[in-house]
Amino acid sequence: LRLWETGVPDAMSVRRRAMPMLPALAGFVFCAPFAAGDTAAIAAPGNPHEAARRLGDAGTCPAAGCDGGCSCPAQNLDLTSVNMVPRLRVQGDTFSHIEERRLAGLDIAIYHFRQPGRLSELRLPFKVLPMRNVDLTDLRVLEVPSAQALDSWFPGYAWSVLVCERCGGR
């Protein structure tokens, strides 16, 4: 997922100031507990809804994992203070809550949402970890129509989809 600040709320005047955002995809972010109040790691394992579709009849992943052992450079998160984004306003009808994490002294806000029914009848849950930059190696941008792109989880930003060209686009 890539978000950019529109500068104005209407689709005809969208000014794209790229601001990649990574839904540490799926629950979208996996957090490993560490000590009281701290998190040992935050990872972007991929879209959990895709992983569920790849499960075998037994309901388990193959030995190589549901992603086939493949990973995308964008999944290597640069969790530094210069790469984190300050708190953002959220879209009220899709927002669930913010999950607060602390990693190596850095406060990290993970936003929990549900897809709005106007964009997907499945209304699947997902998480977003806003970041200023992600590794764009092997990523392809899939633009969405302006009306949908401006219907953003973060008002004042528009979105498009990033797909890793590795692993068959998973």
Side-chain angles (χ1 to χ4, degrees), residues 3-170:
L3 292 178
W4 65 88
E5 213 168 351
T6 62
V8 293
D10 78 62
M12 302 309 290
S13 306
V14 174
R15 182 186 73 222
R16 292 186 180 194
R17 188 178 89 200
M19 182 175 171
M21 307 281 268
L22 190 64
L25 299 167
F28 283 116
V29 177
F30 169 75
C31 301
F34 187 63
D38 261 359
T39 298
I42 295 178
N47 185 331
H49 308 297
E50 281 296 316
R53 279 182 262 197
R54 291 192 299 272
L55 291 175
D57 291 334
T60 59
C61 292
C66 284
D67 63 1
C70 189
S71 67
C72 187
Q75 290 176 277
N76 300 319
L77 304 178
D78 176 18
L79 299 173
T80 59
S81 61
V82 297
N83 202 30
M84 301 314 294
V85 174
R87 287 285 174 104
L88 298 168
R89 274 187 321 121
V90 295
Q91 186 181 60
D93 67 328
T94 60
F95 177 69
S96 170
H97 65 280
I98 293 178
E99 178 181 346
E100 300 283 347
R101 293 292 178 156
R102 189 159 182 80
L103 178 69
L106 181 63
D107 291 322
I108 297 173
I110 301 167
Y111 295 77
H112 289 243
F113 294 95
R114 267 202 186 279
Q115 295 171 332
R118 62 189 169 276
L119 295 179
S120 170
E121 63 186 37
L122 298 176
R123 297 190 40 82
L124 298 171
F126 65 97
K127 299 177 188 178
V128 176
L129 174 58
M131 299 175 73
R132 295 185 191 284
N133 295 293
V134 295
D135 186 339
L136 299 176
T137 304
D138 295 330
L139 291 181
R140 180 171 39 107
V141 177
L142 300 177
E143 298 294 348
V144 297
S146 292
Q148 289 179 325
L150 291 168
D151 186 3
S152 174
W153 305 285
F154 303 102
Y157 289 82
W159 62 274
S160 56
V161 177
L162 294 176
V163 176
C164 186
E165 293 291 324
R166 296 182 183 189
C167 315
R170 286 186 269 169

